[in-house]
Structure formats: structure tokens, C-alpha cells
């Protein structure tokens, strides 16, 4: 009877989401292929939006490998509601991370939000020290403005224009 009760409470604990953080982390760390789309689809079917917050906790943990953090960001971005202020604040904070791949992934997540605030946050990364982050910021701004032409404003497009002509993006007159 005691054993059955212990099993039931452990099962109830798993169903309640208490161990969801660990389950998601294990899923990421044991994934064998480089394509995580199926993993994210599975999370969407099983956990839905409730997986987003634990995934952001994983993403913010600078002790985790960049691959783990990146997958967590992409998963959280896919599972979050774009209008949720928590979603925006988490991604905006990740833009300041020391790891370029984390910043790159946060930009991809912000692209889903489609708001002036998200666009402005992405535009700030046009001055990032990593070329790949600056490039992603420019591409995301273009996609956001294409999806919603009312998003763009003169200030953002001026930043984009200045970024494109910034000498840091060129070597001996050629684009990097």
C-alpha cells in the first residue's frame, strides 16, 4: 500500500509539471539528431504552452551548453504566446547574453512577436559585435516589416541603413 501510494504521488508529481523542467532538459540533452523540429512538435502536443517557462529557465542558465540553451530558446519561442509580456521580457534579456548563439536565437524568437517593441529590440542588435547576430537582426527586421508594414518606423530603418554602411561589416571594401 505504501509503495502504491509512493508510485501514485510520483506519477501525480510528473503530471502536475513539477518535474517538467527536468523532463525538457533531458529531452534536449538526449536528442541524437541535429533537427529539433520534431522534438518541439512533440512538446507542443504533450505540454503545450506550459513548457515555455521551464524552457526559458533552461535558456537563461549560462552553465548549460549553448546547444541546450539554443534549443530551449527556440522551443520556448514556438510554444509561447507572442503577446505574452513574459515571453518578450525573457527574449529581450537573452539579447544581452555573452553567447552569440543565444543572442542569435533570441532575435529569431523576437521576430515572432511582431510588435514595435520587439522590432526596436532587434534593431539594437544591428550594432552587435558578432557579424552573424547583426546579419540575423537585419534579416529579422526585413521579415517583420514584410509581415506587418505598419511595424517599421523611420528610426528603425535609419538604424538598418547605418548598419549596412558600417565599415565593421566590410573587409577591404567587400562585405563579410
Amino acid at each position: 500500500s505504501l509503495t502504491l501510494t509512493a508510485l501514485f504521488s510520483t506519477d501525480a508529481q510528473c503530471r502536475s509539471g513539477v518535474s517538467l523542467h527536468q523532463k525538457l532538459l533531458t529531452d534536449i540533452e538526449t536528442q541524437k539528431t541535429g533537427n529539433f523540429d520534431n522534438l518541439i512538435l512533440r512538446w507542443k502536443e504533450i505540454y503545450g504552452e506550459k513548457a515555455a517557462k521551464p524552457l526559458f529557465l533552461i535558456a537563461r542558465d549560462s552553465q548549460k551548453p549553448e546547444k541546450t540553451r539554443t534549443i530551449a530558446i527556440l522551443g520556448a519561442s514556438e510554444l509561447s504566446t507572442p503577446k505574452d509580456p513574459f515571453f518578450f521580457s525573457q527574449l529581450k534579456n537573452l539579447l544581452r547574453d555573452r553567447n552569440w548563439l543565444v543572442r542569435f536565437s533570441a532575435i529569431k524568437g523576437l521576430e515572432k512577436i511582431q510588435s514595435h517593441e520587439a522590432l526596436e529590440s532587434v534593431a539594437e542588435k544591428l550594432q552587435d559585435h558578432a557579424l552573424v547576430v547583426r546579419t540575423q537582426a537585419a534579416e529579422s527586421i526585413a521579415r517583420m516589416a514584410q509581415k506587418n508594414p505598419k511595424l517599421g518606423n523611420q528610426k528603425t530603418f535609419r538604424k538598418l541603413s547605418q548598419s549596412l554602411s558600417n565599415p565593421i561589416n566590410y573587409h577591404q571594401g567587400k562585405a563579410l
Side-chain angles (χ1 to χ4, degrees):
S1 175
L2 184 59
T3 316
L4 185 59
T5 305
L7 284 172
F8 178 74
S9 69
T10 302
D11 185 48
Q13 184 181 20
C14 288
R15 284 186 304 200
S16 71
V18 173
S19 64
L20 183 55
H21 177 272
Q22 187 57 47
K23 174 67 178 130
L24 295 167
L25 184 57
T26 301
D27 283 351
I28 293 169
E29 291 174 343
T30 58
Q31 182 74 16
K32 302 241 185 297
T33 66
N35 182 353
F36 292 91
D37 293 338
N38 290 335
L39 179 62
I40 293 170
L41 284 173
R42 194 173 99 234
W43 289 340
K44 191 178 239 180
E45 289 173 11
I46 296 171
Y47 309 115
E49 196 174 318
K50 72 180 178 181
K53 288 185 180 182
L55 285 168
F56 276 124
L57 286 174
I58 294 167
R60 289 192 335 233
D61 185 350
S62 62
Q63 300 303 309
K64 298 282 183 246
E66 71 179 16
K67 175 183 158 190
T68 299
R69 297 178 71 203
T70 300
I71 295 162
I73 294 166
L74 298 176
S77 296
E78 191 62 38
L79 299 173
S80 293
T81 303
K83 300 296 181 195
D84 183 353
F86 178 80
F87 177 45
F88 174 71
S89 69
Q90 293 299 301
L91 290 170
K92 188 170 180 178
N93 287 336
L94 288 167
L95 287 177
R96 292 189 293 270
D97 197 272
R98 290 188 309 171
N99 186 294
W100 70 265
L101 192 53
V102 169
R103 296 190 310 275
F104 176 93
S105 300
I107 290 169
K108 290 180 79 71
L110 283 166
E111 188 177 322
K112 295 176 185 282
I113 294 178
Q114 291 291 313
S115 72
H116 290 286
E117 295 83 7
L119 186 74
E120 288 300 315
S121 294
V122 170
E124 290 172 16
K125 300 318 292 178
L126 291 168
Q127 303 302 316
D128 195 274
H129 62 273
L131 176 63
V132 68
V133 173
R134 294 192 307 270
T135 302
Q136 182 60 47
E139 290 173 0
S140 289
I141 289 168
R143 280 192 293 273
M144 291 170 83
Q146 186 176 24
K147 282 183 185 177
N148 185 352
K150 294 180 183 178
L151 273 185
N153 61 38
Q154 292 301 88
K155 180 181 172 188
T156 303
F157 292 122
R158 195 170 24 261
K159 282 183 186 177
L160 181 57
S161 176
Q162 288 169 347
S163 173
L164 292 174
S165 61
N166 189 334
I168 196 170
N169 293 320
Y170 299 90
H171 178 69
Q172 295 179 349
K174 295 182 183 176
L176 294 174

